[in-house]
Amino acid sequence: MVNLTIDGKAISVPKGTTILEAARKLEIHIPTLCWLEKVSATGACRICAVEIEGVDRPMTACNTPVKEGINVTTQSERLTRTRKQIMELILVNHPLDCPVCDAGGECELQNTCYDLDVTRQEFTADDVNPVTIDHWPLIQQVPSRCILCEKCVKVCHEIVGADALFVNAKGDRAFIDKKLENCTFCGNCVSVCPTGTMISKPFKFKARPWQLKKTESICHYCSSQCQIEIHTLDNKISRVTSDDNTTINNGNLCVGGFFSYDFVNHPHRLKEPHIDDRLVDWDSALDTTVSEIKRIIAESGAGAVAGLASPRLTNEENYLFQKMFRAVIGSNNIDSEARYGAMRALRALDKGLGLHGASNSLSAIGEADAVLVIGADPTAEAPAVEWQIRKAANENNAALIVANMRSIHLDKLANSTLLYKPGSEISLVRGLIALMIEGGYLDLEVVEPQVTNFAELKEDIASIDLDVLTSRTGLSVDQLREAAALLGQAQKVAIVFGGDVTHSAYGLSKSGAIANLALLTGALNNGGGLYPLDEKGNMQGLLDMGVYPEALPGYQDYATNADRFAAQWQCQMPQGGLDAEGILQEIEAGKIRCLYLAAVNPLSFPNSNRWLKALEKVNVLITQDIFPSAVTRLAKIVLPATSYAEKVGTYTSLDHRLSTLGKAVKNVAESLSDWDILSSLYQRLSGAEKAPTMDAVNNEIAELTGLYEGLTTCGGKRPYRQKALYQIPADGLKYQLITCGDEADGLQLITGSSKIHFGSTSTRASAPQEIEAECLLQINPVDAEKNGINSGDMVKLSSDSGTVVLKGQVTDAVPAGVLFAPYNFSDGNIQSALPDASNRGTVEIVKV
């Protein structure tokens, strides 16, 4: 510890602490403009000047480390004169356009002038400021207002990792410029700007800050669930911000959280209930829904009714959905899109480790010594995870290994980049395990007490043939050995895997192999963690609430726990139950006659053409959604629901934080919240005197599941099974048979999330649409040349499942032999070209 005195107050602080940080611990205010706690100090503005006894000149407090015994003065006549003069120099070329400046009312420069009593400036200079930069999408830059604090540059480089912003030129002609091709359009540069230099175009001239009502909520787009403040005026969202000091995301947001909010007031929102394309009132819509469900039950039994729910629903809504089907309708035919992704990870982690999601808090990633990212693109799936990975690499000097089938944003930060052949994740993982043992990094004797089937583990590892595995992955032994060493030398290992794994064929077995690796590397008990990613907002909560036929809420096996729930719910529980695949098959067979879709569109599932044909056969199709679609046009009953900003309830993040939505605006037109719709239907179907309340449901969740006991808003480490199971592929396949696409020939199409959009909801928001307006098919230059395709050409893509025409984009982001397209655009309908239950398939392309 270092001892010093500041303004007569003694304090001891750790070595490396700055004077500013020490003063803040004593609650001594030192003015700043360029300092930002979450990035490295710049010392550019010099407003934080302080005096140190024995030092001739003032020193900047923000980047001067403390020294033993120094005596610091933060307030004196000399410092006041110095700070005022610095402010006057800063204002030399600063325009006096405060009346029309977007930062008015929350400008740090203005506030500092006021605090220092800077009412004029004595200097003159030639105006050499560049003109306003207006050609950037979403963000305007006014160089004349810039004080070159470089906060925006630091955030862009150190936290976001985009390296889009930089200081152009030198001296009085310097200004902040941008490499547009690098920009992720996260808006963090706007958030940290202390003046009106960086301006959000969607917010410009929309409102003055003091007019806005602020509502605390969470971003609904991805499973990171960043905390936000929704600013509203006249029942419309004007902007979204996040506070550095009070949020788990440290004030950082991505393009989804910062810019993608105006879909809430989109003119195409569903506004009134419909029955057979006729507008009706809510009583008619709800009564007809109930009577149609009861009619199908009377004619064909409760097994003829099925439902699909959504990660867009809150925990309370998903709980009531499954209870309504099981306890009132009498059907266990319920599922969700998790069947084609997150459910595979859940089953593997549960089977092998007893985990029901991530094993630790997101912040543990930032403390790791090594991070392995495999089959995931955190930038697109969960940006807050990427920020933690960057924190680990930048602040903790952690080794980063990125393994993927295509290039991702994290590649340029990686110590080891493993570009593997499509589908070869199991071979890659087994190769890493073998080489970690070979290098002496894994001691199987230490692992033995933790594994129930240790003999199988040893037999399986002994069977590894590195030559075969490297052939399948397309990687060299040296590449794998380097990555294995980086993992093996680390004490705290974090492993992140995502949609490329979980949405793929054999996703269960691949997730199981990754669970094996987490077990062997000590990721579960040495301070690191295992993190399955899913792009959708409340996917963890959806699974927690048991919206799938195999389990009841709290991951309780359906067959063995049905009686306990039946006693609590005072009902007879249905036998059996169909998952999404079973529901689809039974619709095709004419046995499922009524399908309830709660905030879900099956046309976003793989092989969407098959789903479309099936939905056309459903006798009673009921949709509860916020936008019209091809599915709502098929529906007999359409129930208009509300967005995240129009309702309350809780979400559960990927690391098990329980977060609350805040109602920021009134419902659009006649729409109702998903809770109000489901609770009204529950009351009508059950004949109850009153509709269930949200408080009653939350009490029931706590009593029946114990899921959230001891949880805080910060999440935390989750216990895993003390005797883990080393997983051999559960589907009976040998590892040797799981190769890169079963040795599939031809171009491999992979689908995943866009870096700009989240789900399909953001495609209704104007800001992200300005950046990425349509589904583009990424094609490697080699494949493009072979097929005579240039960027911008229309390309017909054909597979055994279907045909789709998309605009091509020639890029090195995908290797030769691989195509990539985002699944976010319903108009693009890329999912129609995929086989059942997979994110990858063999296709042919031709220029149209």
Side-chain angles (χ1 to χ4, degrees), residues 81-137:
R81 288 195 303 272
T82 299
R83 289 170 181 163
K84 290 184 72 170
Q85 191 172 70
I86 290 170
M87 284 302 304
E88 290 168 357
L89 287 167
I90 287 175
L91 293 173
V92 166
N93 276 328
H94 195 87
L96 299 179
D97 59 353
C98 294
V100 294
C101 178
D102 213 53
E106 51 189 9
C107 174
E108 292 179 43
L109 179 66
Q110 190 179 74
N111 293 340
T112 304
C113 285
Y114 184 86
D115 290 342
L116 295 175
D117 194 29
V118 178
T119 58
R120 60 179 184 173
Q121 60 93 3
E122 302 289 345
F123 305 98
T124 59
D126 293 335
D127 185 355
V128 294
N129 287 306
V131 297
T132 295
I133 301 173
D134 208 28
H135 66 275
W136 298 350

Side-chain angles (χ1 to χ4, degrees), residues 319 545 556 564 695-709:
Y319 180 89
M545 294 302 105
Q556 300 174 74
R564 186 166 73 88
D695 285 342
V697 161
N698 276 317
N699 289 336
E700 195 173 298
I701 293 171
E703 180 181 350
L704 286 173
T705 70
L707 271 174
Y708 303 122
E709 291 178 6

Side-chain angles (χ1 to χ4, degrees), residues 173 257 301 310 452 515 524 541 561 578 615 822:
R173 296 179 185 273
S310 167
T452 58
L524 302 172
N561 290 279
L578 299 173
L615 294 178

Side-chain angles (χ1 to χ4, degrees), residues 308 597 600-616 629-634 760 823 825-833:
L308 298 174
L597 302 176
V600 62
N601 183 344
L603 300 190
S604 66
F605 299 171
N607 202 348
S608 57
N609 282 342
R610 184 182 173 196
W611 275 98
L612 181 61
K613 292 174 183 176
L615 294 178
E616 291 171 347
S629 66
V631 174
T632 61
R633 289 190 285 273
L634 290 174
S760 59
Y823 53 51
F825 298 86
S826 55
D827 291 343
N829 199 19
I830 190 64
Q831 298 292 74
S832 66

Side-chain angles (χ1 to χ4, degrees), residues 523-545:
L524 302 172
N525 51 22
N526 288 338
L530 178 61
Y531 301 87
L533 302 188
D534 195 283
E535 175 212 1
K536 299 301 179 68
N538 196 31
M539 187 62 81
Q540 185 67 48
L542 171 77
L543 297 174
D544 285 355
M545 294 302 105

Side-chain angles (χ1 to χ4, degrees), residues 187-391:
N188 288 307
C189 57
V190 177
S191 295
V192 302
C193 182
T195 66
T197 304
M198 294 288 183
I199 300 170
S200 164
K201 287 182 181 178
F203 177 62
K204 185 179 180 182
F205 299 149
K206 293 294 190 300
R208 308 306 282 169
W210 53 85
Q211 294 177 293
L212 298 171
K213 172 189 171 186
K214 289 195 292 188
T215 304
E216 292 185 359
S217 189
I218 54 170
C219 179
H220 68 295
Y221 273 124
C222 86
S223 54
S224 303
Q225 288 167 29
C226 294
Q227 292 172 278
I228 60 173
E229 289 177 332
I230 303 174
H231 299 242
T232 56
L233 179 65
D234 297 333
N235 202 44
K236 288 188 176 182
I237 300 176
S238 297
R239 67 176 178 180
V240 172
T241 63
S242 187
D243 193 312
D244 280 12
N245 300 315
T246 61
T247 57
I248 57 96
N249 45 297
N250 207 18
N252 303 313
L253 292 175
C254 71
V255 62
F258 193 83
F259 281 118
S260 306
Y261 51 80
D262 69 350
F263 75 90
V264 172
N265 293 110
H266 195 284
H268 292 166
R269 281 281 301 272
L270 291 170
K271 296 179 176 66
E272 298 91 9
H274 291 68
I275 299 176
D276 293 327
D277 292 326
R278 292 181 295 104
L279 291 177
V280 296
D281 60 34
W282 270 108
D283 280 334
S284 298
L286 295 171
D287 287 342
T288 301
T289 300
V290 170
S291 64
E292 286 293 274
I293 291 173
K294 288 184 174 180
R295 177 178 69 83
I296 296 297
I297 293 173
E299 293 174 358
S300 305
V305 182
L308 298 174
S310 167
R312 202 176 76 209
L313 300 182
T314 65
N315 292 327
E316 296 82 2
E317 290 160 352
N318 273 312
Y319 180 89
L320 191 59
F321 177 88
Q322 61 83 32
K323 182 180 179 182
M324 180 176 76
F325 265 82
R326 287 162 166 162
V328 181
I329 294 173
S331 170
N332 192 31
N333 301 332
I334 56 172
D335 211 352
S336 72
E337 64 189 84
R339 181 64 50 183
Y340 304 109
M343 180 67 71
R344 293 164 179 163
L346 170 70
R347 288 171 61 195
L349 268 57
D350 190 12
K351 177 183 177 182
L353 307 171
L355 282 173
H356 300 130
S359 70
N360 211 343
S361 64
L362 288 188
S363 60
I365 301 174
E367 303 300 322
D369 301 320
V371 181
L372 169 64
V373 178
I374 178 168
D377 183 0
T379 312
E381 295 175 86
V385 172
E386 179 182 343
W387 303 333
Q388 288 295 331
I389 293 170
R390 290 188 177 279
K391 180 181 178 183

Side-chain angles (χ1 to χ4, degrees), residues 15 32 65 81 129 161 164 218 302 376 395 426 452 480 492 517 699 787 799 835 847:
K15 184 179 179 181
T32 64
R81 288 195 303 272
N129 287 306
I218 54 170
E395 297 182 18
I426 292 177
T452 58
L480 289 173
K492 297 179 183 179
L517 181 62
N699 289 336
N787 291 276
S799 72
K847 179 179 175 181

